[in-house]
Amino acid sequence: MFKQLPEKGLDKAQIFSHLEDLKKNDADWKKGRVFSLVFHPGDEASEVVKEAYKMYSSENGLNPTVFKSLKQMENDVISFTASLLHAPETAVGTMTSGGTESIISAVKAAKKFAMDKNKSLSKPNIVLPESAHPAFNKAADYFSLEVRSVKCLGALEPDLEQYRSFIDGNTVMIVGSSPAYPHGHIDPLEKLSELAIEKDLWFHVDACVGGFLLPFLEQLGHSVPVFDFRLPGVSSISLDIHKYGYGPKGSSVVFYRNSEKRKKQFFVYTKWIGGLYVSPSISGTRPGGAIAGSWAIMNFLGTEGYKKMAQETLEAAQKIQRAVNTIPELQVTGNPLTTIFSIKSTGKIDIYRLGDELSIMGWHLDRQLTPPTLHMTISYGHVAYADEFIRDLKLAVEKLNSTSLENIGDSLKQTLVKQGAKLLPESWLKKLSEKSIENVASQESESKSAPLYGLIGELSGSGTLEDMVLDLLDNMNKPSKV
Ligand SMILES: *Cc1c(COP(=O)(O)O)cnc(C)c1O
């Protein structure tokens, strides 16, 4: 039976006590235990964001003529950001709900731009490094584009020969990341910019995660490659305020070199019986809180605040990286320049089992596929917990090295699953793995996910895995039943 809406509303105290209770099973992000899902600027700054959000949580950014406050704040945010990106005076931007919407918007604009220019273009494609964020694949799925995914050496540097060979008359966009999320590697943006100019192509720089970090690292004198509008081939840039901008969830910016390009993002419908409909972004109603919260945090921190946080965060990240590299069983992947990186095994331990051990200790790191790694996005909220993390990381590795019966059981299971993946028909495998999928869905047993990640590695890209994940997602998002 579906859970029923209460007949009589609960009182305020009951509501908040329920909400507090619900939080008890969440990961302890305030103690730095969560990576990349939460960007915490400290309690005082966080209060500023929340207060501003609350003040404008009813206002709607859809119609800028009604809420001039929001229009003013959005234009300020865009302006602050433009100067960080060395944008030309012609540049324009839009606030969106997040990196995904910024990317989908840019892809939509690029596709329309190319197709308006070339009426014979019928099978549009985008070319991107395989390390690019899946938001591009999502956009391609929505807008029926082919994705041409360029191999990256060691999952880091895209093969430029292949990149060039993938481009043809139907290419509507090329992409580079600054940095790419999985291992924090920055693509060869200068070369891609030249390629874009040579081929007269739309070049999008995905700075979703790095956009509010790199400019401040550069201002501090750290060596970071140029990633912004100083590269003449760059057409658009996405950067998330809700990441290193430390704004409220639901805030990002997408930038265009000029209005001609951005107009391809806008949507106007003039024949609706409800009147003229104009919408700048994908979402219709736009939360005023996200705009006000972003405006507030930027003004609260100022350049000085962002620089100080970037410096301390970089130091914490480098400290962790150094510690990782002194552990013989572990290694940082590649040579990350920023606070985003991944940890791989040197071969003596199973990195996914290390992930499990860390989960037991309360640290929630994403498991990545190629190469098998644990992901780390270090943000300001981790600065105070770097030493604790290093201590627990060492403990976890020691624990894996002392082979217990349980560990042997686990790796045996994993070996079986891996061999199974090679030997069994896909339908059998699906049944076999249902148990593991249930494990991931229920938080308690996250600690036993290593065999599943081994399996996912084997099945990556297959239809079976896609079906399995679709089932999982469907099962996790069901109405509450009593
Ligand atoms: C986070 C991220 C995105 C997507 O942003 P969301 O806000 O999660 O939608 C896109 N690209 C990169 C590089 C990212 O790190």
Side-chain angles (χ1 to χ4, degrees), residues 36-37 39 96-103 131-136 138 176-182 204 206-210 238-244 249-252 340 375 377:
S36 82
L37 292 173
F39 290 73
T96 71
S97 63
T100 301
E101 190 184 341
S102 287
I103 288 169
S131 56
H133 194 277
F136 290 98
K138 197 177 191 177
S177 306
S178 176
Y181 178 82
H204 181 84
D206 180 12
C208 275
V209 70
S238 49
L239 63 170
D240 293 347
I241 305 172
H242 64 202
K243 288 181 183 155
Y244 287 101
K249 292 272 183 296
S251 43
S252 171
I340 299 134
H375 176 86
T377 292

Side-chain angles (χ1 to χ4, degrees), residues 191-384:
K191 295 213 176 81
L192 292 176
S193 166
E194 284 164 12
L195 189 60
I197 291 171
E198 178 195 323
K199 304 267 185 189
D200 190 21
L201 281 171
W202 186 301
F203 175 32
H204 181 84
V205 171
D206 180 12
C208 275
V209 70
F212 283 96
L213 182 67
L214 291 166
F216 300 113
L217 291 179
E218 185 180 356
Q219 287 177 30
L220 285 160
H222 297 288
S223 115
V224 289
V226 174
F227 76 98
D228 55 26
F229 285 111
R230 281 172 289 179
L231 298 173
V234 171
S235 316
S236 53
I237 302 179
S238 49
L239 63 170
D240 293 347
I241 305 172
H242 64 202
K243 288 181 183 155
Y244 287 101
Y246 297 99
K249 292 272 183 296
S251 43
S252 171
V253 181
V254 57
F255 257 94
Y256 298 87
R257 188 171 280 280
N258 55 47
S259 291
E260 188 200 356
K261 289 196 160 72
R262 187 179 60 170
K263 277 186 194 154
K264 308 293 178 184
Q265 169 198 294
F266 291 162
F267 178 79
V268 178
Y269 187 59
T270 54
K271 291 179 236 161
W272 188 31
I273 57 170
L276 184 64
Y277 186 84
V278 186
S279 160
S281 57
I282 291 171
S283 47
T285 290
R286 302 166 76 220
I291 297 173
S294 298
W295 185 90
I297 190 71
M298 287 185 178
N299 279 295
F300 182 74
L301 294 175
T303 307
E304 204 179 274
Y306 278 116
K307 268 161 74 172
K308 179 177 170 289
M309 288 164 76
Q311 178 62 30
E312 288 179 29
T313 308
L314 184 70
E315 281 167 16
Q318 289 177 341
K319 188 175 192 181
I320 294 173
Q321 289 168 10
R322 280 194 300 272
V324 166
N325 285 333
T326 59
I327 301 173
E329 289 84 354
L330 301 178
Q331 198 184 356
V332 170
T333 315
N335 293 302
L337 288 179
T338 69
T339 53
I340 299 134
F341 60 98
S342 73
I343 304 175
K344 62 179 176 184
S345 163
T346 51
K348 294 183 205 76
I349 60 165
D350 180 332
I351 199 72
Y352 297 142
R353 277 178 50 210
L354 179 66
D356 287 354
E357 287 304 331
L358 287 168
S359 287
I360 294 170
M361 294 167 149
W363 304 94
H364 301 271
L365 276 70
D366 282 347
R367 280 73 162 170
Q368 305 188 127
L369 275 187
T370 315
T373 41
L374 301 177
H375 176 86
M376 300 214 80
T377 292
I378 303 300
S379 60
Y380 187 67
H382 295 110
V383 171

